[in-house]
Amino acid sequence: MLKKVLAGIGAGALLFGLSACGGGDDDAEGGADGSLVIGFAQVGAESAWRTANSASVQAAAEAAGHELKFVDAQQDQEKQISAVRDFINQQVDVIVLAPVVETGWTEVLQEAEDAGIPVVLADRGVEAADEDLYVTRLGSDFAEEGRKAGTWAAETFADDADGTRILELQGTTGSAPANDRKAGFFEVLDAEGLDYEIVDSQSGNFTAEEGKAVMETFITTHGLDGIDLLYAHNDEMGLGAIQAIEESGKVPGTDIQIIIVDGSKAGFQAGVDGKLNYIVECNPVFGDQLMDVVEQVANGDSLEKFTAVEESAFDASQFEAELPNRQF
Ligand code: GYE
């Protein structure tokens, strides 16, 4: 299996090598100076995290002198698949894919491999069965993010005698961050032996609008009395939920404790305003690191299967000091 991947990389490097010698006349081939043509199939523009990630990758490609063909797939897997197919037809040097969901990639990844074009995953991952069809992934350890949230919750509610009642706003159904942030969180609650109940858990698709709408449904269905904690898989859904909680006459951060993941300026500001209680950082600013990876892949270097970007987590005592450091 490893051989197959290496063959894929080798073919990609060969394509690059030919164009570097000036042998090709395809408009998508890299330049003689080592510049590359990179196709980037981005998830969408659903969050501040995503906007910052797109900007970081675009700026880094420009700074490195590579041509970036950028497609915003509007959170639609079909659009991402067509973008990847277009990149294959254009014979780009490397394809960067941020897969909106984990499943359903085998066919198009196989097409890329057959065309000898290496694929790098940025941010989100694909299911383990497709592991041989991409070279490497650069992004966050989403399960670890979930564990950080779980560790804080288990400590915060350790003495909650009548059990901790939890609402969860999940990210896009079937996406790696939704699956893993959930798994990591409950893994720790179970390991710590916290007495808890998941009162409700629904997807808010990583957007503020859907996060707010789902929270309104939670409030109508369950009320907020006796609910201890809201775990929102990203800032936007948490911020949308905060609006819904305020509109229902309750005080977010006090009547109900709130955890969010990402750590945008808006998220930290809500923390400084006392409206939420814990922020797990997810770092979107990895464009420069991604360009290094893409160059290594084009060069045929061998790489680790996964490189995690560095991330932290912040409680209320740290929000104010950290806010000015936020980049998105
Ligand atoms: O947390 C969320 C975005 O895949 C890590 O996607 C990313 C997530 C991020 O929409 O805000």
Side-chain angles (χ1 to χ4, degrees):
M1 283 305 185
L2 185 64
K3 257 195 208 147
K4 227 167 134 195
V5 177
L6 291 175
I9 302 169
L14 183 65
L15 262 185
F16 170 60
L18 282 175
S19 66
C21 296
D25 52 10
D26 258 304
D27 59 353
E29 287 186 5
D33 54 355
S35 68
L36 299 167
V37 179
I38 304 163
F40 179 24
Q42 176 62 295
V43 169
E46 72 284 359
S47 61
W49 190 100
R50 187 67 53 198
T51 308
N53 181 248
S54 296
S56 170
V57 174
Q58 282 164 327
E62 200 180 331
H66 301 312
E67 184 192 335
L68 188 76
K69 294 176 182 288
F70 179 90
V71 175
D72 170 344
Q74 298 167 303
Q75 291 187 287
D76 178 341
Q77 183 174 32
E78 287 310 311
K79 290 201 172 80
Q80 272 195 311
I81 290 174
S82 336
V84 171
R85 289 215 166 103
D86 285 347
F87 296 150
I88 295 170
N89 288 334
Q90 295 168 60
Q91 293 185 281
V92 301
D93 296 304
V94 178
I95 292 171
V96 176
L97 169 66
V100 59
V101 291
E102 290 188 291
T103 56
W105 296 104
T106 314
E107 201 179 325
V108 76
L109 289 178
Q110 187 63 56
E111 289 167 24
E113 182 171 296
D114 294 346
I117 302 177
V119 175
V120 171
L121 301 186
D123 167 30
R124 300 184 184 178
V126 296
E127 62 179 337
D130 288 340
E131 200 179 271
D132 294 328
L133 294 173
Y134 65 91
V135 183
T136 186
R137 173 167 95 88
L138 172 68
S140 305
D141 183 339
F142 304 126
E144 186 55 27
E145 292 170 348
R147 283 185 212 109
K148 286 176 186 162
T151 302
W152 180 83
E155 279 168 14
T156 303
F157 295 101
D159 299 327
D160 188 356
D162 55 354
T164 306
R165 303 186 75 229
I166 301 172
L167 294 172
E168 183 182 31
L169 275 171
Q170 297 181 44
T172 302
T173 304
S175 69
N179 291 342
D180 296 353
R181 284 173 186 166
K182 182 184 190 65
F185 181 74
F186 290 108
E187 173 195 311
V188 172
L189 298 198
D190 292 335
E192 294 299 320
L194 188 79
D195 174 17
Y196 71 89
E197 178 196 344
I198 306 172
V199 175
D200 215 333
S201 176
Q202 306 280 336
S203 172
N205 202 25
F206 282 130
T207 69
E209 298 69 34
E210 287 172 76
K212 180 169 189 251
V214 173
M215 191 67 204
E216 284 167 355
T217 310
F218 284 169
I219 294 171
T220 312
T221 315
H222 311 286
L224 279 179
D225 292 332
I227 303 289
D228 299 293
L229 175 67
L230 169 68
Y231 174 36
H233 288 190
N234 84 339
D235 283 23
E236 273 66 26
M237 295 190 296
L239 294 171
I242 284 172
Q243 273 185 30
I245 294 166
E246 285 176 331
E247 285 169 16
S248 81
K250 297 282 188 191
V251 185
T254 302
D255 291 335
I256 173 172
Q257 304 229 22
I258 300 172
I259 302 174
I260 59 171
V261 186
D262 276 354
S264 61
K265 285 180 184 151
F268 268 84
Q269 186 59 58
V272 169
D273 297 341
K275 296 180 180 185
L276 55 87
N277 312 81
Y278 198 62
I279 300 176
V280 178
E281 179 186 38
C282 183
N283 180 8
V285 188
F286 55 68
D288 289 331
Q289 218 181 333
L290 180 64
M291 288 309 126
D292 290 345
V293 168
V294 164
E295 285 162 17
Q296 286 170 296
V297 165
N299 206 29
D301 298 351
S302 71
L303 286 155
E304 295 290 323
K305 202 72 201 184
F306 170 57
T307 306
V309 296
E310 267 192 36
E311 294 171 341
S312 186
F314 304 88
D315 67 20
S317 70
Q318 299 165 300
F319 292 158
E320 194 153 0
E322 180 58 22
L323 177 58
N325 302 333
R326 303 317 296 170
Q327 293 183 53
F328 65 104

